[in-house]
């Protein structure tokens, strides 16, 4: 028995997942997704600090369990599909996904993306592709799985060219990372505490406030975060409340309601940073986490009010400006309602805070706004420095500045500036061979940046 072998309490989850991989056609199953999440949680919390990442620990557990079940069943070949899927999923599909989105997910550690729910969604897409075309080569099946999996780009203003409606490029689409799936629960990991409490806060909110926000928790099949680095210079940032998330405009149930809400990772990280930085005897970390969750739920309601409950929620005469006053009204109602539902000691402290800061949950909300403003200033600073260094002919210093910002556009445009500066230096030095290679390299980078939405 290896050091990372599962304990007996994991057997049910392992049997559920192995059985799904062996016999399912890829239909979404909440019980199996919950099992994936349980395996992920066990791998994260049970492995030593120097051990392999959680998703590789899960692979080892599944292979051992499939071997045990095949031996117990005494049926040669009875679990061949499970063995094949485990290998295809962990050895080829997951690494290929990171390579497919190497620009968009450059800043993300694999462990942040490959949660239990995410691996479960990849397995569903892979099974569906295999069932659709059993004779397909493995690489073809993987590509078809990615086409099913990558289904989100969010709000994007697209150009009108020659009277033809534009559309996002295929490389812009990716899969948001699930945080909560109805009937399966909340994902384990660094966001479990804040997300689970935010879901509870939404569940307890006055129904009148939820109606005003066009939000119904029962209709939300999934809450996820956008793994792309947030670009404050992107045109979408001009849309009010965009940074607080939105209903996925392409995820619509048969009744015409949006069913997946996508939030921004910078919002989650900014809210959690206060819990880590400001905890004290007067304001314990548990209370600060409750406040962060309340503000997260509030931002979800704000984003929902802007999106509406579905494509038919807002008529053509409704403007973004006309939505802002109603959103501000129910936002304040929500925060006051949330304070009234907290324990006495916490409630009294927040009421003092309201008098001091002139708004409910003022410390958490102002910390969020300040953190986002600092991120924006840092992006502007490093991006401008990168461009200056590149044009001065210091490519290493330029790249160092660009890498401090996880934004894809900053990194790729910095590389383009460095290439152009190097090409000019080659021309001045009379090295026409080196200079002649630059236009094609720049053009290739520019096409790559356009394809993933960076430019």
């Amino acid at each position: 028995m290896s050091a990372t072998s599962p304990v007996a309490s994991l057997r049910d989850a392992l049997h559920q997942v192995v059985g799904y991989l062996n016999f399912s056609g890829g239909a979404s199953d909440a019980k199996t997704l919950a099992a994936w999440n349980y395996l992920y949680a066990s791998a994260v919390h049970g492995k030593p600090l120097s051990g392999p990442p959680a998703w590789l620990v899960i692979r080892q557990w599944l292979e051992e369990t499939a071997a045990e079940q095949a031996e117990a069943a005494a049926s040669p070949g009875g679990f061949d599909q499970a063995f094949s899927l485990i290998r295809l999923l962990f050895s080829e599909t997951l690494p290929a996904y990171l390579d497919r989105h190497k620009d968009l997910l450059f800043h993300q550690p694999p462990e942040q993306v490959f949660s239990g729910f995410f691996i479960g969604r990849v397995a569903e897409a892979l099974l569906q592709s295999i069932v659709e075309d059993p004779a397909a080569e493995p690489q073809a099946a993987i590509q078809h799985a990615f086409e099913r999996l990558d289904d989100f780009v969010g709000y994007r203003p697209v150009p009108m060219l020659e009277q033809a409606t534009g559309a996002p490029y295929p490389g812009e689409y990716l899969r948001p990372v699930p945080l909560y799936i109805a009937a399966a629960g909340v994902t384990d990991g660094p966001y479990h505490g804040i997300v689970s409490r935010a879901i509870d806060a939404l569940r307890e909110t006055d129904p009148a406030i939820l109606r005003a926000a066009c939000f119904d928790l029962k209709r939300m099949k999934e809450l996820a975060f956008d793994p792309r680095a947030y670009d404050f210079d992107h045109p979408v940032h001009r849309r009010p409340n965009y940074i607080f998330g939105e209903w996925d405009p392409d995820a619509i149930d048969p009744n015409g309601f949006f069913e997946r809400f996508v939030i921004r990772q910078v919002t989650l990280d900014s809210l959690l940073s206060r819990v880590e930085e400001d905890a004290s005897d007067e304001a314990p970390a548990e209370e600060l986490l409750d406040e962060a969750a309340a503000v997260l739920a509030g931002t979800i309601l704000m984003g929902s009010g802007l999106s509406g409950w579905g494509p038919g929620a807002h008529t053509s005469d409704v403007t973004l400006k006309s939505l802002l006053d109603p959103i501000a009204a129910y936002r304040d109602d929500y925060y006051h309602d949330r304070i009234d539902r907290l324990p006495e000691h916490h409630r009294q402290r927040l009421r003092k805070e309201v008098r001091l800061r002139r708004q409910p949950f003022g410390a958490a909300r102002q910390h969020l706004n300040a953190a986002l403003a600092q991120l924006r200033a840092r992006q502007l600073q490093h991006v401008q420095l990168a461009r200056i260094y590149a044009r001065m002919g210091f490519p290493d210093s330029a790249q160092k500045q660009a890498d401090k910002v996880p934004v894809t556009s900053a990194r790729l445009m910095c590389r383009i500036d460095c290439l152009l500066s190097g090409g000019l230096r080659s021309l001045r030095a009379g090295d026409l061979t080196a200079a002649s290679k630059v236009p094609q390299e720049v053009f290739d980078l520019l096409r790559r940046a356009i394809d993933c939405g960076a430019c």
Side-chain angles (χ1 to χ4, degrees):
M1 186 69 69
S2 64
T4 54
S5 293
V7 295
S9 60
L10 294 178
R11 293 299 178 190
D12 289 345
L14 286 166
H15 289 173
Q16 176 70 30
V17 171
V18 170
Y20 180 85
L21 294 176
N22 200 54
F23 301 110
S24 174
S28 183
D29 177 61
K31 186 176 180 180
T32 302
L33 289 169
W36 277 112
N37 190 39
Y38 186 68
L39 295 180
Y40 176 77
S42 302
V44 167
H45 300 300
K47 71 181 181 67
L49 293 178
S50 58
W55 58 287
L56 292 180
V57 174
I58 294 172
R59 173 187 178 161
Q60 180 178 339
W61 289 351
L62 292 174
E63 287 178 334
E64 291 177 359
T65 303
E68 292 172 3
Q69 288 189 296
E71 183 178 353
S75 56
F79 283 81
D80 283 355
Q81 178 172 307
F83 283 116
S84 176
L85 258 295
I86 292 169
R87 182 194 59 78
L88 191 62
L89 175 61
F90 290 95
S91 294
E92 300 187 44
T93 307
L94 294 180
Y97 189 80
L98 291 181
D99 185 64
R100 176 184 175 89
H101 296 298
K102 58 182 179 292
D103 291 322
L104 292 179
L105 301 181
F106 172 85
H107 63 294
Q108 292 282 13
E111 293 78 11
Q112 185 74 72
V113 178
F114 296 157
S115 65
F117 283 155
F118 187 88
I119 297 173
R121 292 299 196 197
V122 177
E124 290 173 359
L126 197 55
L127 278 165
Q128 291 167 14
S129 297
I130 291 173
V131 169
E132 185 179 276
D133 187 2
E137 293 294 324
Q139 292 305 314
I142 290 172
Q143 291 305 312
H144 291 156
F146 288 161
E147 292 171 5
R148 295 174 182 273
L149 190 69
D150 289 339
D151 58 356
F152 174 77
V153 70
Y155 167 74
R156 280 292 182 274
V158 292
M160 297 288 290
L161 302 174
E162 297 180 0
Q163 299 182 346
T165 303
Y169 291 95
E172 293 189 64
Y173 287 89
L174 81 172
R175 187 42 165 96
V177 181
L179 294 168
Y180 160 84
I181 295 177
V186 176
T187 185
D188 195 80
Y191 302 131
H192 178 270
I194 188 173
V195 172
S196 59
R197 297 180 191 216
I199 295 294
D200 290 340
L202 291 169
R203 188 175 289 114
E204 296 169 358
T205 299
D206 188 326
I209 296 174
L210 295 179
R211 283 194 298 271
C214 300
F215 187 88
D216 186 346
L217 185 60
K218 295 179 181 178
R219 296 190 182 278
M220 187 175 72
K221 302 290 180 59
E222 182 179 311
L223 175 69
F225 75 83
D226 186 347
R228 296 171 294 188
Y230 190 82
D231 186 356
F232 289 91
D233 290 332
H234 197 284
V236 295
H237 189 65
R238 299 171 188 170
R239 182 183 173 102
N241 289 344
Y242 174 79
I243 198 169
F244 296 139
E246 61 189 332
W247 286 109
D248 180 355
D250 295 321
I252 305 170
D253 69 17
N255 296 315
F257 292 91
F258 294 133
E259 59 181 8
R260 179 169 67 189
F261 196 93
V262 181
I263 55 182
R264 314 293 171 216
Q265 191 175 15
V266 289
T267 302
L268 285 167
D269 291 338
S270 297
L271 287 169
L272 284 176
S273 66
R274 177 172 179 258
V275 179
E276 299 166 358
E277 297 167 3
D278 296 352
S280 64
D281 293 338
E282 176 63 23
E286 284 295 304
E287 291 188 0
L288 295 184
L289 186 57
D290 281 335
E291 293 171 28
V295 175
L296 175 61
T299 61
I300 290 173
L301 293 179
M302 292 167 62
S304 178
L306 197 65
S307 302
W309 46 258
H314 301 316
T315 58
S316 59
D317 60 335
V318 175
T319 63
L320 290 175
K321 183 178 180 180
S322 68
L323 291 172
L324 295 183
D325 287 342
I327 288 175
Y330 74 67
R331 174 199 62 193
D332 290 340
D333 290 342
Y334 159 76
Y335 283 125
H336 285 295
D337 176 71
R338 193 67 208 147
I339 289 177
D340 292 339
R341 296 174 186 270
L342 293 173
E344 178 65 23
H345 174 268
H346 196 180
R347 185 165 64 244
Q348 292 299 327
R349 180 172 66 79
L350 286 181
R351 284 176 176 166
K352 291 179 183 178
E353 186 179 279
V354 171
R355 292 192 291 271
L356 177 65
R357 296 182 179 266
R358 307 291 184 179
Q359 60 179 179
F361 289 95
R365 293 163 66 184
Q366 290 168 20
H367 176 90
L368 172 60
N369 292 332
L372 294 175
Q374 290 173 3
L375 285 172
R376 184 174 188 172
R378 197 176 304 132
Q379 176 181 325
L380 179 64
Q381 171 189 340
H382 290 301
V383 168
Q384 293 303 320
L385 273 175
R387 290 175 178 171
I388 291 172
Y389 281 136
R391 290 165 187 170
M392 290 174 62
F394 298 104
D396 293 339
S397 298
Q399 196 61 50
K400 184 177 179 181
Q401 291 296 324
D403 288 345
K404 290 182 179 180
V405 180
V407 178
T408 307
S409 60
R411 190 168 61 256
L412 292 180
M413 291 307 296
C414 176
R415 291 182 61 183
I416 289 174
D417 285 343
C418 290
L419 283 171
L420 291 173
S421 298
L424 289 174
R425 289 197 304 274
S426 297
L427 282 175
R428 294 189 184 106
D431 187 353
L432 299 183
T433 301
S436 65
K437 297 177 182 178
V438 171
Q440 186 60 49
E441 293 177 355
V442 169
F443 184 68
D444 290 342
L445 269 179
L446 188 59
R447 290 188 62 178
R448 180 171 146 189
I450 291 171
D451 180 65
C452 70
C455 295

